[in-house]
Amino acid sequence: MVVFGILAALMLATVHSQEAEDTITYTQCTDGYEWDPVMQRCKDIDECEIVPDACKGGMKCVNHFGGYLCLPRTAQIIVNNGQEETAPETTSGRNGNLIIRRTPPDNTASRIPCAPGYEATDHTTCQDVDECTTGTHTCRPDQICVNLRGSFTCQCPAGYQKRGDQCVDINECETSNPCAQLCYNVVGSFLCQCNQGFELSPDRINCDDVDECRASNFICQYECINEPGRFSCLCPDGYQLVRGRNCQDINECELGNACGEDSICSNYHGGYRCYPRNPCQEPYVLTSENRCVCPVSNPLCRDLPYSIVHKYMSIRSERTVPSDIFQIQATQIFPNTINTFRIKSGNENGDFFLRQTSPVSAMLVLVKPLKGPREHIIDLELLTVNSMNFRSSSVLRLTLIVGPHPF
């Protein structure tokens, strides 16, 4: 008697072997299959061998893909691999046979199972799911989604760090202080600045020295010395630094015994000179400080100026022109006399001009710029003539020293 004849039309789907990606290990198979690590695929479990008393009541166990059958021991089993074959006749008749037909696998029902984070692209391949692209991630709006094989991770953008579920700003100035000098923290980043005298280098981290001396030709009056982060000014000999940048002449004559007792100290821009206290030469005699008189009683004085007064002064180098530099004036005024002024000597290059400003005075004018250091001795003569043809002259001998610098 055939008990399970209705199973003759049972269609059993075969399960194709699964070929996983080289870097993926599958450990999950559908019911009735187990993972074969050697073959790297899911294989059928023979329940008839591992399940004790799989069938009851004298039934026999018949294994098939993904499960097993319990059949009468008298049942005849004919395996048909998808062919329209008829089981052979037996004494028990056609209805006493059980036909198990193996049909080709259903493509839609035999997709291989994939691990979480993967999806099947065909019946044998699993592909990683990019949660960041598909929008299936769970990252916060202030976080960055980074796809991993089979998963994803949420990261904080640069300049932030995770604190719990939130991204908080990193104070780089306190944690690492990447700046060479001054560091200022800003949200998500930081800024570097430099001390005075330095400027940021192209990498925006380090500081380069600013060469102030090269930046301006007028930062120092004489000489500029660049130093790391700063600069300093120097003055030449005979000058002192004032207000950090300017050079001021040192009056050596006021500092002490610059000259001997028989000399007179005359300061000029950048130095000093010593002149004799008695500058008179024969036949002149000293009558007062720097005043030499030629006595009328001396026959040698007949054709010489009556007096010579010695004066000393200094001007800066390259002084702008025209420039009034010295005034000469008659010390005695006589009635019915005419006074005239002239440059008697010392103007061979035409550097000066004498302009009469009144009947008793005249102004020495510099008409060409003079470059020092240089000394000029100029004789300025005053001629006095009266109605009785009386004629007299006196000379002011001006020693003019041009300093070595224009300051």
Side-chain angles (χ1 to χ4, degrees):
M1 183 179 69
V2 179
V3 178
F4 295 93
I6 59 175
L7 295 178
L10 180 65
M11 303 293 291
L12 299 179
T14 61
V15 179
H16 283 222
S17 64
Q18 304 181 44
E19 294 179 3
E21 293 180 355
D22 294 340
T23 58
I24 302 174
T25 301
Y26 295 99
T27 58
Q28 183 178 0
C29 297
T30 56
D31 293 339
Y33 292 85
E34 65 180 358
W35 180 254
D36 186 348
V38 176
M39 299 298 294
Q40 290 289 299
R41 64 183 182 181
C42 293
K43 68 178 182 178
D44 175 61
I45 298 174
D46 190 346
E47 291 86 352
C48 297
E49 291 184 0
I50 64 174
V51 178
D53 297 328
C55 294
K56 305 294 185 180
M59 306 290 281
K60 69 177 179 180
C61 180
V62 179
N63 184 64
H64 71 90
F65 292 107
Y68 66 98
L69 296 173
C70 292
L71 302 176
R73 293 188 177 277
T74 59
Q76 184 179 1
I77 301 173
I78 301 173
V79 178
N80 187 335
N81 291 320
Q83 303 293 326
E84 294 295 332
E85 297 179 357
T86 303
E89 294 291 335
T90 63
T91 56
S92 58
R94 184 175 179 85
N95 291 333
N97 300 327
L98 176 65
I99 300 176
I100 299 177
R101 178 169 293 150
R102 294 180 179 176
T103 60
D106 184 356
N107 291 338
T108 60
S110 61
R111 291 183 181 271
I112 60 174
C114 296
Y118 293 86
E119 61 183 0
T121 58
D122 52 33
H123 307 294
T124 61
T125 305
C126 288
Q127 177 178 286
D128 173 56
V129 176
D130 189 344
E131 295 85 356
C132 300
T133 303
T134 58
T136 57
H137 62 84
T138 57
C139 296
R140 296 167 55 92
D142 59 343
Q143 295 176 337
I144 299 174
C145 178
V146 178
N147 186 61
L148 303 175
R149 294 186 65 84
S151 182
F152 66 93
T153 184
C154 299
Q155 296 182 358
C156 292
Y160 294 84
Q161 60 183 352
K162 264 192 174 183
R163 184 175 295 171
D165 294 334
Q166 295 183 343
C167 292
V168 296
D169 173 56
I170 298 174
N171 190 335
E172 295 86 355
C173 300
E174 292 182 355
T175 57
S176 59
N177 192 11
C179 301
Q181 292 184 0
L182 303 178
C183 181
Y184 296 93
N185 185 65
V186 296
V187 178
S189 185
F190 63 93
L191 292 176
C192 295
Q193 291 188 1
C194 301
N195 296 319
Q196 184 176 0
F198 294 88
E199 62 184 359
L200 275 178
S201 60
D203 62 11
R204 313 303 295 175
I205 297 293
N206 295 298
C207 294
D208 298 330
D209 175 54
V210 176
D211 190 346
E212 296 88 353
C213 301
R214 182 174 295 180
S216 173
N217 294 328
F218 305 100
I219 195 169
C220 293
Q221 193 171 33
Y222 178 64
E223 183 178 359
C224 180
I225 303 298
N226 185 62
E227 301 173 11
R230 60 185 300 271
F231 69 95
S232 60
C233 297
L234 293 181
C235 292
D237 293 339
Y239 293 85
Q240 60 185 351
L241 191 66
V242 293
R243 295 185 295 276
R245 300 187 180 187
N246 298 323
C247 295
Q248 185 181 68
D249 174 55
I250 299 174
N251 192 336
E252 294 86 355
C253 298
E254 296 179 351
L255 298 179
N257 297 325
C259 298
E261 295 182 357
D262 295 335
S263 300
I264 297 176
C265 181
S266 176
N267 184 72
Y268 67 90
H269 295 284
Y272 70 97
R273 290 194 180 183
C274 298
Y275 296 101
R277 287 189 177 274
N278 183 3
C280 303
Q281 297 179 358
E282 291 289 342
Y284 288 89
V285 295
L286 183 66
T287 59
S288 62
E289 184 179 353
N290 295 334
R291 181 179 176 82
C292 301
V293 174
C294 197
V296 179
S297 59
N298 190 334
L300 297 177
C301 296
R302 179 174 299 177
D303 297 326
L304 296 176
Y306 171 71
S307 65
I308 300 177
V309 178
H310 293 266
K311 292 293 183 180
Y312 310 97
M313 71 168 295
S314 174
I315 62 173
R316 296 180 177 89
S317 180
E318 300 179 355
R319 182 167 174 170
T320 56
V321 293
S323 178
D324 296 345
I325 60 174
F326 191 83
Q327 181 174 341
I328 180 174
Q329 185 171 348
T331 56
Q332 293 181 349
I333 302 175
F334 300 98
N336 300 320
T337 59
I338 298 175
N339 298 314
T340 60
F341 300 88
R342 67 172 183 150
I343 300 176
K344 186 177 182 179
S345 64
N347 193 30
E348 291 76 15
N349 295 327
D351 300 321
F352 306 95
F353 170 76
L354 192 61
R355 182 181 76 248
Q356 189 160 346
T357 56
S358 75
V360 294
S361 64
M363 178 65 70
L364 181 65
V365 181
L366 178 67
V367 295
K368 292 182 180 180
L370 299 178
K371 188 173 182 179
R374 185 176 178 182
E375 182 182 79
H376 290 267
I377 299 177
I378 309 164
D379 283 354
L380 306 177
E381 185 178 31
L382 168 62
L383 297 173
T384 303
V385 179
N386 63 12
S387 59
M388 306 210 34
N389 291 326
F390 172 78
R391 187 175 184 273
S392 176
S393 69
S394 60
V395 172
L396 188 144
R397 181 161 292 168
L398 177 64
T399 300
L400 179 66
I401 300 178
V402 182
H405 304 288
F407 46 83

